[in-house]
Amino acid sequence: MRSDAKENYHHLLVTARAVVAEEGANASMRDIARKAGVGPATLFRHFPTRDALLDTLLRGSLEELTQKANALESAPSADDALVTWLHEAVAFVRIYSGVVTLMASALSDASSALHASCAGLRSAGTRLLARAQAVGTADKNMTGSDLFALIGALGWIGDQASYSARSDYLFNVIASAILINRPSRDVAMGII
Amino acid sequence: MRSDAKENYHHLLVTARAVVAEEGANASMRDIARKAGVGPATLFRHFPTRDALLDTLLRGSLEELTQKANALESAPSADDALVTWLHEAVAFVRIYSGVVTLMASALSDASSALHASCAGLRSAGTRLLARAQAVGTADKNMTGSDLFALIGALGWIGDQASYSARSDYLFNVIASAILINRPSRDVAMGII
DNA sequence: ACCTGAACACCGTTCAAGT
DNA sequence: ACCTGAACACCGTTCAAGT
């Protein structure tokens, strides 16, 4: 990459992060280019799709979250490990509004630039779920994809002005539904 | 209303229903006008906002759903009544993709043409919830707005290609979380 | 090798001009 | 009283032309 291209690339990323933080994952691509001071074509050559841009934007955090899941596999309580990770996953998707919908469609589209990162994260979550199913109280009918769907659902709730204030409570509602055989949902709150 | 205007209005509604069924609640307004064979300005005078169009499109079903809630208030089991209604509410929002997000934002925007219909439905649902909290096993910390948030979350799940196949299972997961003190989530399935 | 402005085909929304 | 095409300010995306 030529040095001016490198400069463009980095400035584009910094700007994109700010704009996406402000406007959400469906922010105008043109607006990002404009605010970065480059033509729209320059943005599109560096990031041929919105998914490609978001993959670059999110990959670091997605990998972090994947590693946290891996680390939690050796935590003493399988249930607590799952709930802790779930909490972090929901906190992550709430950073950028609209990102859960993008991630969901990336999962069903193998050609999306975001697909691999999302699928990797899902695998890591699936292992935590499996352990909680084996030695914990997690619902045995649930799949890793279901877990992702519920994370997405909580992300969606967080994106809605009318519901977002209640998202901590609704997290506990859903967490207690996953750990179906726990005595009370309040157990989930102690570990945060 | 002049007779040609009346004709336009009805044709617009029929077309809009078809297009929204096909493309979802965020279908292009211009496309609806085009397919109805009128200019965009004609659509916008009949329905000054997308919410106004969707209110007209949905009002009948929303009122039906509200009345069903009212009727279920005298059902023998408060829990079953709540779950039955929840099931119908989720089935309804799944008809038009994207409609839950529109409804959620209508709830937080009193000036939306959809606001009244949605708020009315929420009230009816809230009464069913309250009864299940009083004489049933519904979680006492839950509000009617939380119930709506969960309906929306299930609608969102139904809108995602990657998750929609599992929405019946996830309905049961969430229904069991609302009726927190039931012995098993399988109880919820008998009444459908 | 990279960038750019202009172009294409859209969108929601409005308005002057028509009948 | 109602409708219309054209207009305005956008959008994602592409491409020929520049340096």
Side-chain angles (χ1 to χ4, degrees):
Chain A
M1 195 153 24
R2 231 165 56 179
S3 79
D4 56 341
K6 206 162 211 161
E7 199 124 341
N8 265 339
Y9 180 86
H10 282 113
H11 189 47
L12 230 18
L13 266 186
V14 170
T15 308
R17 197 175 298 274
V19 174
V20 168
E22 184 73 28
E23 320 263 2
N26 293 303
S28 155
M29 296 290 271
R30 249 184 139 105
D31 194 35
I32 292 169
R34 201 165 25 234
K35 279 171 177 155
V38 303
T42 303
L43 172 59
F44 275 88
R45 199 164 15 74
H46 281 298
F47 307 101
T49 61
R50 163 174 264 110
D51 282 14
L53 174 60
L54 266 109
D55 183 53
T56 310
L57 234 46
L58 301 179
R59 179 164 294 178
S61 310
L62 288 171
E63 278 171 4
E64 235 179 274
L65 205 50
T66 303
Q67 288 194 321
K68 265 176 196 162
N70 293 339
L72 281 163
E73 277 193 73
S74 50
S77 159
D79 281 359
D80 287 353
L82 179 58
V83 176
T84 301
W85 182 78
L86 238 158
H87 200 257
E88 302 218 29
V90 172
F92 163 70
V93 296
R94 287 202 51 189
I95 295 172
Y96 299 119
S97 87
V99 84
V100 284
T101 305
L102 228 66
M103 286 173 70
S105 80
L107 276 171
S108 63
D109 173 14
S111 74
S112 159
L114 252 176
H115 182 82
S117 307
C118 291
L121 184 62
R122 183 178 51 185
S123 301
T126 303
R127 284 192 293 274
L128 275 185
L129 173 64
R131 195 166 77 106
Q133 286 171 324
V135 310
T137 59
D139 181 8
K140 304 245 180 335
N141 296 315
M142 188 168 287
T143 68
S145 174
D146 294 336
L147 191 66
F148 242 60
L150 293 172
I151 291 168
L154 285 166
W156 179 86
I157 285 171
D159 287 348
Q160 311 308 312
S162 24
Y163 306 140
S164 113
R166 295 285 286 171
S167 54
D168 282 351
Y169 165 73
L170 291 166
F171 173 86
N172 285 324
V173 169
I174 286 177
S176 83
I178 296 171
L179 303 176
I180 192 66
N181 295 314
R182 281 207 182 190
S184 149
R185 74 173 39 136
D186 303 287
V187 186
M189 307 185 73
I191 56 99
I192 293 163
Chain B
M1 193 152 27
R2 229 166 56 179
S3 79
D4 56 340
K6 206 161 211 164
E7 198 125 339
N8 264 339
Y9 179 85
H10 283 112
H11 188 47
L12 230 18
L13 265 187
V14 170
T15 308
R17 198 176 296 274
V19 174
V20 168
E22 183 74 28
E23 320 263 1
N26 293 304
S28 154
M29 296 291 271
R30 248 183 139 106
D31 195 33
I32 292 170
R34 200 164 27 232
K35 280 172 177 154
V38 302
T42 303
L43 172 60
F44 275 89
R45 198 165 15 75
H46 282 297
F47 307 102
T49 60
R50 162 175 264 110
D51 282 14
L53 174 59
L54 267 108
D55 184 52
T56 309
L57 236 46
L58 300 180
R59 179 164 293 176
S61 310
L62 288 171
E63 279 171 5
E64 234 180 276
L65 205 50
T66 303
Q67 287 193 320
K68 265 176 196 161
N70 293 339
L72 281 163
E73 277 194 74
S74 49
S77 160
D79 281 0
D80 287 354
L82 178 59
V83 176
T84 301
W85 182 79
L86 238 158
H87 200 258
E88 301 218 29
V90 173
F92 163 69
V93 296
R94 289 203 50 189
I95 294 172
Y96 299 120
S97 86
V99 84
V100 284
T101 305
L102 228 64
M103 286 171 70
S105 80
L107 276 172
S108 62
D109 173 14
S111 75
S112 159
L114 252 176
H115 182 80
S117 307
C118 291
L121 184 61
R122 182 178 52 185
S123 301
T126 303
R127 284 192 294 273
L128 276 184
L129 173 65
R131 196 165 77 105
Q133 286 171 323
V135 310
T137 58
D139 181 7
K140 304 243 177 343
N141 296 314
M142 187 167 289
T143 67
S145 173
D146 294 336
L147 191 67
F148 242 59
L150 293 172
I151 291 169
L154 284 165
W156 179 85
I157 285 172
D159 287 349
Q160 310 308 312
S162 24
Y163 306 140
S164 113
R166 294 285 287 172
S167 54
D168 283 351
Y169 166 73
L170 291 166
F171 174 85
N172 285 323
V173 168
I174 286 176
S176 84
I178 297 171
L179 303 177
I180 192 67
N181 295 314
R182 282 209 181 188
S184 150
R185 76 173 37 136
D186 303 288
V187 186
M189 306 184 74
I191 56 98
I192 292 163

